[in-house]
Amino acid sequence: MRLRGWVSFSKLAAGYLSSASCRRKQPAAAAAAAATLCRQKHVCRFSQSGANMAEEAKKLAAYAAVDNHVQNNQVVGVGSGSTIVYAVDRLAERVRQEKLNIVCVPTSFQARQLILQHGLTLSDLDRHPELDVAIDGADEVDADLTLIKGGGGCLTQEKIVAGCAKHFVVIADYRKGSKALGQQWKKGVPIEVIPMAYVPVSRTIAKRFGGEANLRMAVSKAGPVVTDNSNFILDWKFEKAQNWKDVNTAIKMIPGVVETGLFVGMAERAYFGMEDGSVQIRDPPVN
């Protein structure tokens, strides 16, 4: 009994010493944990700050474009994507405040819903085949105002609406501007294809122009992304700068290709919301 009691006491003492040692180490461990938490919070705050800055930049560009290019009694093409949300907000605000008579033609289901949600007048190209102005975003804009569009999969409708407009204006944040395509946007040029043709089209593009054209897969569903036109999207990751006008024409001639996300010689002005709260305007170079 005495032995068992001594062992029990020894175990208790060992536990106490271990506990005390733990308590002595705890401040250092706590400090390390606090430092890690502080770093995580700092990174989180920085990330949120960057995201907020980009959203504010989108809003600045969208508001500037709507204020400078939309007038009373116009038919306006409404693009797709995150930046266009701010353009529709501003358009609806001006319609209410200034009693403007504006008709809107959407480029996608998303754009259609935005128009309806804001109580704007919805129309289509059957009733209004000629638009006064079209406003849309872009995934990248180079020095010549050549665009890559179609990150959201609406490139065909977007190009049709832009082509029907007397004036096509682009809105973007500071992350979308570059000197040459591919510097900022790394996901490639979207190409809409007929589903049965995606394999031969991707092989032909890679063989003729280099790089690789991959079928875009959906994130929240099994299988590929399906466009509003029930087609597939290839993302062509090119290896070098090209003569984009010639490449655009050549790709469109491949059987099975519906449209490309290259917008060449279409945009007449781009508005970029900047990090410092200003708006930069880019016009095509004068030849």
Side-chain angles (χ1 to χ4, degrees):
M1 288 293 294
R2 287 177 185 172
L3 183 60
R4 282 200 298 271
W6 185 84
V7 170
S8 298
F9 176 78
S10 297
K11 285 181 178 178
L12 241 120
Y16 173 79
L17 290 171
S18 172
S19 173
S21 172
C22 216
R23 283 196 297 270
R24 283 196 299 272
K25 290 178 181 177
Q26 189 175 2
T36 301
L37 183 60
C38 183
R39 285 195 297 271
Q40 289 174 344
K41 284 183 177 179
H42 178 73
V43 170
C44 187
R45 281 197 298 269
F46 180 80
S47 175
Q48 288 175 348
S49 176
N52 291 338
M53 189 181 294
E55 290 303 310
E56 185 61 30
K58 293 177 185 180
K59 183 176 179 180
L60 289 168
Y63 274 47
V66 170
D67 287 349
N68 290 344
H69 295 274
V70 175
Q71 300 174 12
N72 194 27
N73 297 319
Q74 283 188 332
V75 182
V76 179
V78 177
S80 307
S82 59
T83 310
I84 206 68
V85 172
Y86 297 107
V88 177
D89 285 345
R90 179 56 178 161
L91 185 60
E93 187 177 57
R94 287 194 59 200
V95 166
R96 288 193 303 270
Q97 292 177 352
E98 303 172 35
K99 309 300 181 186
L100 299 181
N101 176 34
I102 299 294
V103 174
C104 298
V105 175
T107 58
S108 64
F109 180 80
Q110 177 220 11
R112 181 180 184 276
Q113 294 305 106
L114 282 172
I115 292 165
L116 292 174
Q117 287 167 10
H118 284 77
L120 296 167
T121 302
L122 176 69
S123 189
D124 52 42
L125 292 177
D126 291 343
R127 287 171 285 183
H128 294 91
E130 186 175 283
L131 315 178
D132 295 291
V133 62
I135 300 175
D136 206 346
D139 298 309
E140 189 172 24
V141 185
D142 76 4
D144 296 325
L145 254 59
T146 298
L147 318 175
I148 291 179
K149 288 178 54 56
C154 304
L155 57 142
T156 298
Q157 299 97 301
E158 289 172 344
K159 191 174 280 190
I160 291 170
V161 169
C164 291
K166 297 174 186 175
H167 306 285
F168 176 42
V169 178
V170 176
I171 52 177
D173 63 76
Y174 53 88
R175 302 171 300 176
K176 305 299 178 65
S178 67
K179 291 184 179 179
L181 295 184
Q183 289 180 345
Q184 300 288 349
W185 183 252
K186 304 298 184 182
K187 298 180 180 180
V189 175
I191 299 166
E192 186 165 351
V193 296
I194 300 296
M196 69 173 290
Y198 86 89
V199 172
V201 169
S202 63
R203 289 166 60 89
T204 300
I205 290 172
K207 183 178 179 180
R208 291 181 61 181
F209 305 108
E212 57 181 8
N214 300 315
L215 181 65
R216 186 185 297 180
M217 303 304 291
V219 176
S220 299
K221 65 175 280 292
V225 168
V226 178
T227 70
D228 287 359
N229 307 311
S230 301
N231 295 318
F232 290 170
I233 296 284
L234 297 175
D235 289 306
W236 171 43
K237 295 184 178 180
F238 53 90
E239 295 174 334
K240 58 183 179 180
Q242 310 267 352
N243 181 323
W244 296 117
K245 183 177 181 181
D246 291 347
V247 167
N248 179 58
T249 301
I251 291 177
K252 288 179 67 172
M253 293 301 294
I254 300 172
V257 172
V258 177
E259 189 55 86
T260 83
L262 289 166
F263 284 53
V264 186
M266 298 185 72
E268 69 174 46
R269 175 167 285 184
Y271 290 85
F272 296 96
M274 306 306 293
E275 295 169 283
D276 62 2
S278 65
V279 175
Q280 287 188 3
I281 295 175
R282 183 180 298 181
D283 293 321
V286 178
N287 297 323

